[in-house]
Amino acid sequence: MKDISRAHCPIRRATDILTDQWSFLILREFFLEGRKRRFQDLQQELGLSPNTLSNRLKHLENTGILERRLYSSHPPRAEYVLTEMGARFGPVLEALYDWGTSYPETDKKPKSD
Amino acid sequence: MKDISRAHCPIRRATDILTDQWSFLILREFFLEGRKRRFQDLQQELGLSPNTLSNRLKHLENTGILERRLYSSHPPRAEYVLTEMGARFGPVLEALYDWGTSYPETDKKPKSD
DNA sequence: CGGTATCCCTATTGATACTG
DNA sequence: CAGTATCAATAGGGATACCG
């Protein structure tokens, strides 16, 4: 592994933004389903409450990972798209996917402590 | 990006285990500082309270990512080491490191929403 | 359709003191 | 040294109803 310094650590910067229950999974939808996602799409795909989704989307917007585009307000039509920074997140998800794939499903149980 | 299905998604498996504030950063110490870490090392390196560290270490132990080795109880001497599964986490941290490196420090502020 | 507004619950975290 | 015990604050999250 390359030189990772603790001061201003890039991993710390990443986890400060992303370590809630949903952010990784929201971003995953953009790589799995398409670059443009709508509020209702995400809600159905992920099965989370609208207020939670709203909070997380705003957070990802404020941190420059997603961009919100409002096309009409009546009826409302909004789309969320990955920014440059958001698009660069693909390799992280791939690495996480690979790791998760090799995680044993049965002999160790997540969240059971 | 490869085929990522939502049912039994490996990324979901990963985030179920790791999306708290500290787990990524604890694991990072094992790649940055060495494969064997002691309780006090981690506490000083990360600057978290002992109960929080204790909780997270137990969680990582229960999920098969770290192994705890107790060598003597008086004075106590314990070491935490990466399991096979834990060692495979390196690429994820590297990808996250790369992403974090390209994250702009100034124009967008994490955790400020 | 794309959200807000409430209400409420729980997990995570910090601070601090203490123990074998 | 390696934790545990308490106490308390707070952020994340679910459920539900509602709004423009």
Side-chain angles (χ1 to χ4, degrees):
Chain A
M1 161 146 310
K2 49 174 75 70
D3 175 51
I4 296 181
S5 78
R6 219 166 290 109
H8 313 299
C9 171
I11 295 177
R12 172 68 118 136
R13 258 207 310 285
T15 61
D16 279 349
I17 300 171
L18 298 162
T19 53
D20 58 273
Q21 185 183 147
W22 291 111
S23 291
F24 278 88
L25 299 174
I26 288 171
L27 290 175
R28 161 174 146 283
E29 294 302 318
F30 286 82
F31 292 95
L32 174 61
E33 293 293 339
R35 329 100 277 157
K36 301 182 182 192
R37 301 276 80 209
R38 299 180 62 177
F39 195 91
Q40 203 179 206
D41 297 335
L42 293 167
Q43 202 190 332
Q44 288 171 357
E45 287 156 7
L46 296 165
L48 76 178
S49 60
N51 50 5
T52 298
L53 179 56
S54 180
N55 284 340
R56 295 302 93 204
L57 287 174
K58 277 183 187 161
H59 182 60
L60 292 171
E61 230 193 309
N62 291 339
T63 50
I65 295 168
L66 291 180
E67 186 191 336
R68 177 173 179 270
R69 293 180 183 163
L70 186 63
Y71 289 104
S72 82
S73 48
H74 182 56
R77 172 179 173 81
E79 281 178 353
Y80 292 87
V81 297
L82 293 172
T83 62
E84 261 279 330
M85 199 61 213
R88 272 200 286 273
F89 200 69
V92 177
L93 291 176
E94 290 196 33
L96 210 56
Y97 176 94
D98 290 340
W99 185 80
T101 299
S102 72
Y103 191 89
E105 290 203 60
T106 46
D107 56 349
K108 298 280 181 181
K109 285 170 288 178
K111 288 291 185 202
S112 62
D113 51 344
Chain B
M1 162 148 312
K2 50 174 74 70
D3 174 52
I4 296 181
S5 79
R6 217 167 293 108
H8 314 299
C9 171
I11 294 178
R12 172 67 117 136
R13 258 204 314 283
T15 60
D16 278 349
I17 299 172
L18 297 163
T19 52
D20 57 274
Q21 185 183 145
W22 291 113
S23 291
F24 277 89
L25 298 174
I26 289 171
L27 290 175
R28 161 174 145 284
E29 295 302 319
F30 286 81
F31 292 96
L32 174 61
E33 293 292 339
R35 328 99 279 160
K36 299 182 181 191
R37 301 276 79 207
R38 298 179 62 175
F39 194 92
Q40 203 180 206
D41 297 335
L42 293 168
Q43 203 191 331
Q44 288 170 358
E45 287 157 7
L46 295 166
L48 38 41
S49 60
N51 50 5
T52 299
L53 179 57
S54 180
N55 284 341
R56 297 300 92 205
L57 287 174
K58 276 182 185 161
H59 182 60
L60 292 171
E61 230 193 308
N62 291 339
T63 49
I65 295 167
L66 291 181
E67 186 191 335
R68 177 174 179 269
R69 292 180 183 163
L70 185 62
Y71 290 104
S72 81
S73 48
H74 181 56
R77 173 180 173 81
E79 282 178 353
Y80 292 87
V81 297
L82 293 170
T83 62
E84 261 279 332
M85 199 61 213
R88 270 200 288 272
F89 200 68
V92 177
L93 290 177
E94 291 196 32
L96 210 55
Y97 177 94
D98 290 341
W99 184 81
T101 299
S102 72
Y103 192 89
E105 290 202 61
T106 45
D107 57 348
K108 297 281 184 180
K109 287 170 286 178
K111 288 293 184 202
S112 62
D113 52 345

